[in-house]
């Protein structure tokens, strides 16, 4: 063999030996993915989030997503960058969305892709569901961008990828909302000094009415329902925490609840033992104050809100009243400490309540029973510390004033308090 030919074949062999094998890159890095499952009001677009996660170890470069929409579902914007849309792919009336080279994935990190989809109202109605399927792709080579064929399917070229994952999107007629504005979700204890406002509401879909709607709110034993507030409306006759007296403790005075703006009196307030407020949901069965409002008819797009006052008492509610037990319809179990003979509601106690709405959706034909739940968790506190800054952002060389706020509950005081504020590297404390 001529020397030049031997040199050429040797170089070619060396090139073949050091070139990476495409099939070996699958699963490297070994990323994972999830797709959100969402309940939306009929007529509204569906928000979708697809999250790719990279475990500790290798870098993943040029992260790309492949999303498959079922028949009757289309991309509706909302993404940071528009995808490549491939109709009738990978088969039939499906649609494939390709979001390519979105970002890189460093070890032990995640990246979330968000966008919206819409659906054909002639195909989908209330109580219908549809799947959204996705995959995420990366590569260990920063110069390699994942590639896809004409139908959106990945080509065999060494990309690390996840299996297909699916999220289920549910269409509902009504949506329950629940809110309470305490900073960091912390409520100082005290039915006299630290009353808060909860707001629970029902929002209707934008297409058809929902009739016969009722709203149920279940307050845990450590939360006292105070109602709409009309001044001195304390219904306590004999407080277990101060036997023989109407005051919660000597010198506390009566519970005075300021009128709550736009408050609507419930049709029922009843303390109930052994209640499972969310059926098979995550909340445990136990003792709750069950409050019911008659919402009535909700027109398309209408929202009705029901604010009320509540507070964390010294002791939890029970099913035993030291005085006469008011009827549920009277509403006099609100702001009533006669049954507050339970355990003390201690610092850091989690207070989770759930609201449930139900009604009859009216699509023009046979009515459809519909419902929805919402939960909200707050914590009972005896001492809170909140931190705020004079500026929403920090700039090099600029002075920012930080404020620390401290507050104690109605039932506890603090002696010898010491506060430590640790500043990260790069901050320079100036003075008080």
């Amino acid at each position: 063999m001529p020397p030049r030919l031997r040199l050429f074949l040797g170089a070619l062999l060396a090139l073949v030996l050091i070139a990476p094998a495409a099939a070996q890159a699958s699963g490297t890095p070994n990323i994972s993915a999830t797709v959100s499952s969402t309940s939306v009001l009929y007529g509204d677009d569906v928000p979708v989030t697809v999250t790719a996660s990279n475990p500790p170890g290798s870098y993943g470069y040029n992260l790309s997503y492949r999303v498959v929409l079922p028949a009757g579902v289309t991309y509706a914007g909302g993404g940071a960058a528009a995808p490549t849309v491939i109709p009738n792919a990978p088969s039939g009336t499906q649609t494939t969305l390709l979001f390519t080279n979105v970002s890189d994935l460093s070890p032990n990190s995640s990246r979330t892709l968000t966008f919206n989809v819409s659906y054909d109202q002639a195909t989908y109605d209330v109580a219908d569901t549809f799947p959204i399927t996705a995959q995420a792709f990366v590569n260990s080579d920063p110069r390699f961008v994942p590639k896809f064929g004409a139908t959106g399917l990945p080509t065999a070229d060494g990309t690390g990828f996840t299996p297909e994952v699916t999220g289920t999107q549910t269409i509902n007629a009504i949506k329950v909302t629940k809110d309470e504005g305490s900073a960091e979700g912390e409520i100082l204890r005290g039915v006299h000094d630290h009353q808060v406002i909860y707001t629970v509401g029902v929002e209707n879909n934008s297409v058809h009415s929902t009739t016969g709607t009722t709203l149920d709110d279940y307050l845990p034993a450590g939360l006292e329902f105070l109602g709409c507030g009309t001044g001195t409306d304390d219904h306590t006759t004999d407080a277990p925490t101060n036997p023989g007296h109407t005051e919660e403790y000597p010198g506390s005075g009566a519970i005075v609840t300021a009128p709550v703006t736009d408050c609507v009196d419930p049709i029922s307030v009843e303390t109930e033992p052994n209640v499972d407020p969310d059926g098979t949901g995550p909340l445990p069965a136990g003792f709750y104050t069950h409050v019911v409002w008659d919402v009535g008819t909700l027109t398309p797009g209408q929202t009705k809100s029901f604010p009320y006052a509540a507070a964390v008492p010294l002791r939890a509610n029970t099913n035993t009243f030291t005085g006469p037990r008011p009827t549920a319809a009277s509403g006099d179990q609100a702001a009533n400490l006669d049954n507050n003979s339970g355990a003390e509601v201690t610092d850091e106690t989690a207070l989770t309540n759930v609201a449930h709405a139900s009604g009859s959706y009216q699509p023009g034909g046979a009515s459809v029973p519909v419902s929805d739940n919402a939960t909200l968790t707050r914590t009972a506190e005896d001492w809170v510390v909140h931190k705020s800054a004079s500026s929403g952002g920090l700039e090099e060389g600029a002075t920012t004033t930080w404020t620390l706020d401290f507050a104690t509950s109605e039932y506890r005081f603090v002696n010898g308090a010491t506060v430590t504020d640790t500043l990260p590297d790069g901050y320079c404390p100036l003075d008080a």
Side-chain angles (χ1 to χ4, degrees):
M1 180 181 296
R4 287 186 178 181
L5 182 57
R6 285 197 302 268
L7 181 61
F8 172 78
L9 292 176
L12 181 61
L13 178 61
L15 181 62
V16 171
L17 291 176
I18 64 174
Q24 294 177 350
S26 295
T28 304
N30 190 23
I31 62 173
S32 60
T34 59
V35 182
S36 58
S37 294
T38 307
S39 177
V40 298
L41 288 174
Y42 186 46
D44 291 357
D45 287 345
V46 180
V48 179
T49 60
V50 184
T51 302
S53 300
N54 189 18
S58 303
Y59 272 87
Y61 297 98
N62 308 318
L63 172 65
S64 300
Y65 298 91
R66 170 181 172 265
V67 180
V68 178
L69 309 179
V73 178
T74 57
Y75 177 72
T84 299
V85 179
I86 308 176
N88 303 318
S91 63
T93 55
Q94 295 176 315
T95 299
T96 293
L97 309 178
L98 298 178
F99 300 85
T100 58
N101 200 10
V102 172
S103 68
D104 296 329
L105 270 180
S106 59
N108 198 29
S109 70
S110 298
R111 176 64 186 261
T112 296
L113 171 73
T114 61
F115 59 94
N116 299 321
V117 298
S118 60
Y119 48 87
D120 181 8
Q121 293 181 15
T123 304
Y124 298 98
D125 204 337
V126 166
D128 288 339
T129 64
F130 60 84
I132 292 181
T133 301
Q135 282 181 285
F137 302 81
V138 293
N139 199 271
S140 56
D141 184 348
R143 297 167 296 180
F144 181 87
V145 177
K147 296 179 176 63
F148 302 89
T151 62
L153 293 173
T155 57
D157 42 23
T159 298
F161 60 91
T162 69
E164 289 188 342
V165 291
T166 300
T168 300
Q169 319 310 315
T170 304
I171 302 173
N172 208 343
I174 56 176
K175 178 182 180 181
V176 177
T177 59
K178 194 168 182 63
D179 186 44
E180 190 282 318
S182 294
E184 300 180 16
E186 298 173 327
I187 302 177
L188 285 167
R189 297 198 303 151
V191 293
H192 305 87
D193 295 347
H194 300 293
Q195 298 173 6
V196 297
I197 305 298
Y198 278 80
T199 301
V200 61
V202 187
E203 181 181 358
N204 193 40
N205 71 93
S206 61
V207 184
H208 297 295
S209 296
T210 301
T211 62
T213 310
T214 59
L215 177 62
D216 300 71
D217 200 8
Y218 293 87
L219 284 69
L223 197 61
E224 184 72 19
F225 179 76
L226 301 179
C228 289
T230 56
T232 304
D233 50 2
D234 191 343
H235 300 118
T236 306
T237 63
D238 184 4
T241 53
N242 190 19
H245 301 275
T246 59
E247 297 180 329
E248 185 180 32
Y249 55 87
S252 71
I255 301 174
V256 179
T257 305
V260 178
T261 303
D262 298 326
C263 188
V264 177
D265 287 322
I267 62 174
S268 175
V269 181
E270 175 76 355
T271 52
E272 299 177 354
N274 303 317
V275 174
D276 186 359
D278 56 352
T280 58
L283 291 185
F287 185 89
Y288 292 85
T289 300
H290 181 192
V291 185
V292 184
W293 288 272
D294 181 7
V295 180
T297 296
L298 291 166
T299 58
Q302 184 178 16
T303 297
K304 290 187 179 181
S305 297
F306 300 85
Y308 62 85
V312 182
L314 181 60
R315 292 189 177 276
N317 290 283
T318 70
N319 200 37
T320 301
F321 283 77
T322 51
R325 183 187 184 108
T327 64
S330 71
D332 289 349
Q333 291 189 36
N336 190 330
L337 303 180
D338 283 357
N339 63 331
N340 288 65
S341 55
E344 182 177 358
V345 186
T346 56
D347 184 66
E348 297 293 338
T349 296
L351 304 169
T352 301
N353 60 331
V354 60
H356 174 83
S358 59
S360 295
Y361 170 66
Q362 306 295 329
S367 62
V368 179
V370 292
S371 63
D372 190 46
N373 291 341
T375 61
L376 184 68
T377 299
R378 293 293 184 257
T379 57
E381 302 288 344
D382 278 321
W383 189 25
V384 296
V385 181
H386 295 143
K387 188 174 184 178
S388 60
S390 60
S391 174
L394 303 177
E395 297 181 7
E396 185 177 356
T399 299
T400 303
T401 301
W402 295 86
T403 302
L404 298 175
D405 291 313
F406 307 93
T408 52
S409 77
E410 181 180 336
Y411 308 128
R412 290 288 183 267
F413 60 86
V414 177
N415 278 339
T418 299
V419 178
T420 301
D421 190 14
T422 302
L423 278 65
D425 187 25
Y427 289 85
C428 181
L430 301 178
D431 54 28

